[in-house]
Amino acid sequence: MSSAARVLCPSLLGPLILLVLLGSATTAVAADGWSASPSGGGRPSFYAEGAPGSVLQDAVSVTNRNAGPITVRLRGTGAPIVFTDRTVRVPARTRADVPFTVTVPAGDRSAEIVARGPNGGVQRVGLRLRVTVPELSALTVEHVAVRGDHIAYDLVNRGTTALVPRLAVRADGLLGPVLDRAPRTLPLELPPGRRVHLTEPWPDRPALDAVDVRLTVTAADGAGDTAETSVRFAPWGAVAGAGGAVAAGGSFIAVRRRRRRRDDGAAPESPRVEDELTGATT
């Protein structure tokens, strides 16, 4: 028998273990005199849980109650199960414990360990795998932009737990803060993996300033993020009106000067002056 399998002598098989084995594989024991079950006794089947991709360890017991040795072959179905020895020779009236590893797949899964003994006898031991997702709190704020009289932004829950975010807003202009809102809880719960588009009102934004806007979001378990954007405010209507008035005044003065020179018999205005006037009215 392979050294990977641990063989236990008959004296170690107490009445309690015997009852458990008989209860878990009554039909097979009666027919072939051998059984397969989870090692340690007291478990009708295997149960394991872990994060996807984690490797878990356990052992399956093969018990031989016959008067002679038997050879049992093991294989796994439904999940990646690797045995230290897939073929086990068990002496008479002894038990062999065969260690194995199972890799937790993505998503809950039911698997089986299939043990095939002499004369075609088959034992099946169920293995239930439950995937556990570690709790992780992660929150980001993205795509911050000032649009009209509000601040637009996205909140993204990049963790595995639902979050109730808190938001703080600050904007600093050339002469100091122009907006400073203390952290407050937003009226929403953000599920894992969800993105939500939100806006923050800003009706009293500056008319003329260069401003740095900073949004800070926080949530439970230390989750949080900060994002910034810059924006320049200018009263473009007033600027356009002032530019038009300057242009009109410049044109009026130019016309007056041209008429005066013509009346005096002077030469026409040079192209350089026209270029300067054109530039001034742009």
Side-chain angles (χ1 to χ4, degrees):
M1 187 182 71
S2 169
S3 60
R6 300 189 295 274
V7 179
L8 307 182
C9 64
S11 61
L12 298 181
L13 296 178
L16 176 60
I17 295 180
L18 180 60
L19 289 175
V20 172
L21 294 175
L22 289 175
S24 62
T26 304
T27 303
V29 171
D32 300 321
W34 70 277
S35 63
S37 65
S39 65
R43 295 186 293 168
S45 62
F46 292 100
Y47 176 83
E49 61 179 60
S54 60
V55 179
L56 308 178
Q57 297 180 346
D58 210 319
V60 58
S61 294
V62 179
T63 303
N64 179 16
R65 293 184 178 79
N66 292 294
I70 62 170
T71 298
V72 177
R73 293 174 175 82
L74 303 171
R75 66 183 178 91
T77 63
I81 301 174
V82 178
F83 300 93
T84 56
D85 198 339
R86 296 186 61 180
T87 301
V88 184
R89 183 173 174 81
V90 188
R93 297 184 178 87
T94 58
R95 186 183 77 203
D97 289 344
V98 184
F100 67 89
T101 61
V102 56
T103 302
V104 179
D108 293 356
R109 189 79 59 86
S110 292
E112 262 187 345
I113 291 177
V114 180
R116 185 176 297 276
N119 303 320
V122 175
Q123 286 278 291
R124 299 178 183 272
V125 185
L127 196 161
R128 176 64 177 170
L129 293 170
R130 182 175 181 270
V131 176
T132 59
V133 180
E135 290 190 359
L136 173 66
S137 297
L139 180 66
T140 61
V141 55
E142 304 172 1
H143 303 155
V144 179
V146 177
R147 298 193 178 103
D149 59 354
H150 64 269
I151 304 169
Y153 62 99
D154 287 356
L155 288 184
V156 187
N157 185 345
R158 300 193 178 278
T160 60
T161 60
L163 298 174
V164 177
R166 292 172 57 84
L167 174 70
V169 184
R170 183 180 175 89
D172 293 303
L174 295 176
L175 301 180
V178 294
L179 179 64
D180 191 4
R181 293 178 183 169
R184 75 180 193 281
T185 301
L186 298 178
L188 63 93
E189 183 179 74
L190 197 58
R194 186 67 58 84
R195 175 187 295 269
V196 61
H197 181 75
L198 301 171
T199 58
E200 181 75 6
W202 194 9
D204 54 346
R205 61 186 181 85
L208 179 62
D209 206 344
V211 180
D212 294 325
V213 180
R214 181 172 67 254
L215 269 60
T216 302
V217 292
T218 56
D221 299 328
D225 190 26
T226 299
E228 298 183 358
T229 188
S230 298
V231 62
R232 288 175 171 80
F233 298 106
W236 296 114
V239 171
V246 171
S251 300
F252 176 76
I253 294 174
V255 171
R256 289 292 301 272
R257 288 181 177 177
R258 187 179 299 114
R259 287 180 178 177
R260 186 178 302 169
R261 289 179 181 178
R262 287 179 180 176
D263 293 342
D264 296 340
E269 201 171 341
S270 67
R272 178 179 176 81
V273 175
E274 289 288 343
D275 291 340
E276 290 177 356
L277 288 175
T278 301
T281 59
T282 322

